């Protein structure tokens, strides 16, 4: 769904640690609080930026155009560049564009083990199988597999993930080729 200004404002307030409940319906007060919060160095990631409408992109531009803004804004997701290109006032302020390639397969087992303990000790060949069969480099899919795998390991009382449990976890995502 495409968010509206109140949803974006509320999400920004939450992300900045401000009380969205008390400020969400008071636009000027909320914008002043956001402007002040954005004076602190930091990075704000907005995922699914391709869903933002031109007026919302302009709202973000206005917030980040405020003098003294020290926070960086990262608009992420495939297709975000096309949406930003249709908002020339924001596009002209883009410092740099980055395309993030998929994770290297030899680092995947290590990364998954840092993501959740359930992956510790999993054979790299099993992780490679799951990536080639189901996940295809998509970390959101890996998070789903992790959730199912965790539930299966708790039920089986087996402390680690083996190929059998991994196959069961992947099967819960639906049919795969």
């Amino acid at each position: 769904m495409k968010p509206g200004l109140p949803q974006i404002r509320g999400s920004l307030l939450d992300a900045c640690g401000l009380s969205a409940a008390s400020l969400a319906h008071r636009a000027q007060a909320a914008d002043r609080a956001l402007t002040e919060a954005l004076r602190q160095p930091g990075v704000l990631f907005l995922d699914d930026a391709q869903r933002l409408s031109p007026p919302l992109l302009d709202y973000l531009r206005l917030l980040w155009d405020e003098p003294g803004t020290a926070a960086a804004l990262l608009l992420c997701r495939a297709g975000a560049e096309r949406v930003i290109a249709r908002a020339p006032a924001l596009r002209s302020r883009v410092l740099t564009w980055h395309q993030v390639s998929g994770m290297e397969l030899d680092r995947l087992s290590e990364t998954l083990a840092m993501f959740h303990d359930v992956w510790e000790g999993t054979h790299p060949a099993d992780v490679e199988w799951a990536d080639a069969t189901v996940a295809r480099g998509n970390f959101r899919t890996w998070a789903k597999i992790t959730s199912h795998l965790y539930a299966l390991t708790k039920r089986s009382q087996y402390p680690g993930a083996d190929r059998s449990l991994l196959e069961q976890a992947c099967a819960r995502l639906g049919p795969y080729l």
Side-chain angles (χ1 to χ4, degrees):
M1 293 179 21
K2 292 192 176 211
L5 182 55
Q7 290 86 15
I8 290 294
R9 185 179 283 122
S11 293
L12 291 171
L13 289 166
D14 285 340
C16 292
L18 301 169
S19 174
S22 65
L23 292 170
H25 299 292
R26 299 177 15 222
Q28 288 181 332
D31 292 345
R32 279 193 304 276
L34 284 170
T35 299
E36 194 59 38
L38 294 173
R39 292 177 190 273
Q40 300 301 314
V43 179
L44 183 68
F45 292 87
L46 283 177
D47 196 7
D48 291 332
Q50 79 282 3
R51 295 181 181 187
L52 298 175
S53 65
L56 290 180
L57 291 170
D58 197 49
Y59 173 72
L60 293 172
R61 178 191 60 81
L62 290 171
L63 284 176
W64 264 265
D65 269 357
E66 283 293 320
T69 299
L73 175 64
L74 281 132
L75 301 172
C76 308
R77 193 55 160 214
E81 68 282 358
R82 289 186 297 274
V83 172
I84 294 168
R86 291 192 301 263
L90 180 61
R91 186 183 191 290
S92 69
R93 287 160 174 80
V94 172
L95 178 62
T96 186
W97 298 89
H98 290 279
Q99 182 168 347
V100 179
S101 59
M103 190 179 314
E104 296 174 18
L105 201 52
D106 61 339
R107 301 287 314 257
L108 187 54
S109 291
E110 177 186 344
T111 302
L112 288 172
M114 288 188 290
F115 175 63
H116 197 285
D117 294 346
V118 76
W119 293 105
E120 288 180 12
T122 304
H123 196 279
D126 294 338
V127 172
E128 288 180 28
W129 169 84
D131 192 61
T133 309
V134 180
R136 295 179 182 87
N138 185 311
F139 202 77
R140 193 172 298 211
T141 303
W142 277 112
K144 292 176 188 177
I145 294 169
T146 301
S147 176
H148 291 303
L149 191 59
Y150 177 75
L152 287 166
T153 59
K154 289 300 174 196
R155 269 191 237 121
S156 71
Q157 299 301 314
Y158 182 71
D162 62 7
R163 177 69 173 262
S164 173
L165 288 179
L166 188 52
E167 287 176 357
Q168 291 176 53
C170 289
R172 291 181 175 193
L173 298 179
Y176 51 85
L177 305 173

